[in-house]
Amino acid sequence: MTTMQSNPPTGAADKKTPHDSETSAAHTRGERRHEPSIFEKSSPGARAVGLPELDIEPTAIPADLAAPAPRLPELGMLQVIRHYTHLSQRNFSIDGEFYPLGSCTMKFNPRINEWAATLPGFTGAHPLQDDRDIQGTLRIMYETRRMLEEIAGLHEASLQPAAGAHGEYTALKVIRAYFRSKGETQRTKVLAPANAHGTNPASCAMCGAEAITVKAPEGYTDLDDLKRIIEQEGPDTIMAFMITNPNTAGLFDGMIGEVADIIHDAGALLYLDGANMNAILGKTRPGDFGADAMHYNTHKTFSTPHGGGGPGAGPIVVRDFLAPFLPVPQVVQQKDGAFALDYNRPHSIGKVRSFFGQFGVLLRCWTYIRACGAEGLENVSELAVLSANYLAARLQNRYEMPFFNPEKGRYAAHEFVTVPETLLNKGVTLNDIAKRLIDYGIHPPTMHWPVRNCLMVEPTETESLRTLDEFVDAMLAIADQIESDPESLAKAPQHAVVDRVDIVGADRKPTPVFEG
Ligand SMILES: *Cc1c(COP(=O)(O)O)cnc(C)c1O
């Protein structure tokens, strides 16, 4: 057992210790102990299931087909359940802790979503059933489509893409098909500002387009650099400009209308990365500020548990002239009111996903939007923005904020970025700060993106004022600790079930359990 008490936080914010946190979870409370692997727990002969007696003549497996028996752990059912339950409790999760992971929108996932998504009428439907037998499922898809179109201020949605990145890829394919139909095959370049998410240039590459970076020194797209690049590359080679707005610096780009004009003057299209829609729901619509196509990350904005890489949904919405190129099938409502899947789209780019998309995630999205209602969605964005600005304002004296400056009218959108230079100059690393936050039962914010040495904090609208204050207290206590005893941070986390992981060692010399 490791000693639990060392380096108590010092200074003014001393009132809270890591263990007072409202969100402090089992894994930060528990003593640090060795959790045997499931192989170590194995006892020969133990079984979790019983099979009926063999009542036929046994036959040996032919020698040429027989593989050596795999070395599998042998345990009873209760042992297996306890093993995995313990493991799950050692994870960070939104249900257990504050999770201010910038750009990822780790908001609370209302349980009504799960209720809807597990209704047997939906879970029992088969994608190959006749349209007439799955009217309820198709209706959910159709209504989701219509709501997403309205929130976007754009013409037609496709629900097929399985994640935001997949939506980017699909929309770029649609845009390229549109230009090809006009004979403009030379439009192969896609611009994106320097603070773009890594998936933006990656999606370009997947589509065979060339990604070009536009400067964004103050957090906003540099319009002169944008014009210069368009001139230099030739306006008629530009396919699209991909922008996230509000962007990853946590700023809403008020010049977006001008950006749209510059792009449209070049004959190119404006693509909105909708990952940050949580800040603008019902306040402004991408279609109204000039976007021609966009994706949603419904698992972010419209709440689906999405830690660990899935599942998600990345529906896209486009302007009318792009609609003929959307993937098939499209869910439609016929004149008689019935819902159907329409494959009759001769210009479609085809399918981008088996069947119709991530229906279970779309169903959660439908439920969330319907539960909030139009006013509720606006309220979501107002609270998300208020929470981020509250945190930024309370922390800015100790944690420098390159883009947040209320005196210049630069407020945060739903997230903010800090580059804590003064603290880092005391000899600690950004990692030290992040790891110490774990001791307070808080998931570290996004790191080193969109700029080096930054933390990107997104509280979301679902956190209580008490939790926000606890976060501020923790951040201030860490700042005090750095001022008084910077070396002590190198040992963080000290109250978690695992020590600081040797990332390089884990990468270079992995020790897989299943060996020998
Ligand atoms: C999350 C995110 C993406 C990628 O979305 P996925 O759903 O994870 O594929 C793209 N852009 C931004 C700004 C994001 O935050």
Side-chain angles (χ1 to χ4, degrees):
M1 181 176 156
T2 320
T3 35
M4 298 296 295
Q5 200 45 55
S6 51
N7 299 317
T10 53
D14 213 343
K15 286 156 272 150
K16 291 263 189 293
T17 70
H19 286 224
D20 288 340
S21 164
E22 182 187 33
T23 58
S24 166
H27 77 277
T28 56
R29 279 189 231 111
E31 64 190 54
R32 195 181 278 164
R33 61 169 195 275
H34 172 68
E35 173 90 23
S37 77
I38 197 161
F39 289 93
E40 290 169 282
K41 290 176 185 170
S42 172
S43 43
R47 289 286 176 273
V49 289
L51 296 176
E53 285 281 307
L54 188 65
D55 58 359
I56 53 166
E57 221 16 63
T59 316
I61 298 171
D64 57 332
L65 294 180
R71 196 175 69 86
L72 296 175
E74 297 173 76
L75 298 94
M77 188 183 285
L78 179 57
Q79 290 173 292
V80 174
I81 288 171
R82 285 197 181 141
H83 179 75
Y84 286 108
T85 302
H86 288 165
L87 284 187
S88 76
Q89 287 168 344
R90 298 173 67 157
N91 262 339
F92 250 96
S93 72
I94 192 70
D95 287 346
E97 301 90 14
F98 184 38
Y99 212 129
L101 194 63
S103 213
C104 295
T105 313
M106 305 300 282
K107 65 169 75 176
F108 169 62
N109 305 290
R111 291 305 187 264
I112 190 175
N113 296 356
E114 303 309 312
W115 166 81
T118 48
L119 288 172
F122 294 125
T123 55
H126 192 279
L128 292 179
Q129 264 174 288
D130 192 288
D131 287 357
R132 281 168 303 184
D133 299 337
I134 49 166
Q135 282 295 300
T137 299
L138 294 178
R139 177 175 166 186
I140 293 289
M141 287 168 62
Y142 181 77
E143 291 184 4
T144 304
R145 214 196 97 186
R146 302 295 296 176
M147 293 190 296
L148 294 179
E149 289 161 4
E150 188 177 332
I151 295 167
L154 287 166
H155 186 77
E156 190 171 329
S158 168
L159 303 178
Q160 260 187 43
H166 195 197
E168 295 166 23
Y169 167 83
T170 306
L172 287 175
K173 284 283 223 200
V174 165
I175 291 172
R176 207 161 64 144
Y178 162 75
F179 280 125
R180 279 193 179 154
S181 78
K182 300 208 305 170
E184 298 181 38
T185 50
Q186 81 290 353
R187 290 192 184 271
T188 54
K189 293 172 185 167
V190 177
L191 315 181
N195 53 25
H197 194 267
T199 52
N200 290 186
S203 300
C204 295
M206 294 281 289
C207 286
E210 183 190 341
I212 301 175
T213 302
V214 181
K215 289 185 192 142
E218 310 258 313
Y220 301 105
T221 301
D222 181 337
L223 295 190
D224 290 331
D225 197 47
L226 178 63
K227 289 181 202 157
R228 184 187 62 75
I229 291 174
I230 292 174
E231 228 25 73
Q232 181 186 306
E233 303 292 331
D236 66 347
T237 69
I238 312 293
M239 186 166 115
F241 180 58
M242 298 178 95
I243 189 168
T244 312
N245 199 26
N247 62 33
T248 59
L251 298 170
F252 183 83
D253 196 336
M255 300 299 281
I256 187 71
E258 199 164 319
V259 170
D261 288 344
I262 294 170
I263 296 304
H264 291 147
D265 285 348
L269 299 183
L270 185 67
Y271 181 81
L272 180 94
D273 177 329
N276 291 342
M277 284 301 286
N278 211 45
I280 59 172
L281 294 170
K283 294 293 173 191
T284 181
R285 304 191 304 173
D288 296 343
F289 59 66
D292 301 294
M294 68 166 289
H295 76 256
Y296 289 95
N297 307 64
T298 73
H299 44 292
K300 297 180 182 174
T301 311
F302 304 119
S303 76
T304 298
H306 61 281
I316 58 170
V317 202
V318 300
R319 262 190 216 289
D320 49 2
F321 57 85
L322 293 172
F325 307 95
L326 286 174
V328 281
Q330 178 62 293
V331 59
V332 295
Q333 186 168 26
Q334 295 167 333
K335 288 201 184 71
D336 62 0
F339 301 96
L341 291 168
D342 179 14
Y343 285 86
N344 184 19
R345 299 208 152 201
H347 299 291
S348 166
I349 59 164
K351 280 175 85 62
V352 295
R353 179 76 169 69
S354 56
F355 300 112
F356 326 122
Q358 302 270 55
F359 178 73
V361 179
L362 297 168
L363 178 53
R364 289 172 175 85
C365 169
W366 182 96
T367 309
Y368 180 84
I369 295 176
R370 291 301 300 267
C372 287
E375 268 180 39
L377 287 185
E378 266 195 73
N379 197 232
V380 161
S381 287
E382 284 170 11
L383 280 177
V385 171
L386 182 63
S387 299
N389 281 280
Y390 177 73
L391 292 185
R394 284 206 59 199
L395 289 172
Q396 65 174 330
N397 288 340
R398 304 295 293 282
Y399 289 84
E400 287 95 331
M401 314 233 172
F403 310 120
F404 175 79
N405 189 344
E407 275 164 29
K408 285 194 184 163
R410 292 187 169 194
Y411 292 94
H414 62 311
E415 61 197 4
F416 65 90
V417 167
T418 168
V419 181
E421 275 168 349
T422 308
L423 295 175
L424 295 178
N425 284 340
K426 304 274 176 198
V428 298
T429 65
L430 197 67
N431 215 21
D432 293 338
I433 300 175
K435 297 297 182 191
R436 184 63 173 143
L437 269 173
I438 296 173
D439 280 334
Y440 289 84
I442 295 168
H443 192 285
T446 296
M447 295 167 67
H448 295 296
W449 180 67
V451 289
R452 218 173 92 77
N453 273 336
C454 83
L455 295 172
M456 189 211 277
V457 181
E458 179 180 9
T460 83
E461 72 283 2
T462 52
E463 296 300 335
S464 67
L465 183 57
R466 178 168 174 189
T467 299
L468 298 182
D469 283 335
E470 282 174 359
F471 176 70
V472 171
D473 289 348
M475 291 291 280
L476 295 179
I478 291 171
D480 288 342
Q481 190 183 342
I482 294 170
E483 305 280 354
S484 62
D485 186 8
E487 282 86 42
S488 64
L489 264 89
K491 298 185 208 115
Q494 295 187 291
H495 305 296
V497 283
V498 283
D499 292 299
R500 190 176 306 198
V501 176
D502 171 7
I503 309 175
V504 178
D507 198 36
R508 300 275 158 80
K509 293 181 202 141
T511 43
V513 176
F514 202 118
E515 228 179 6

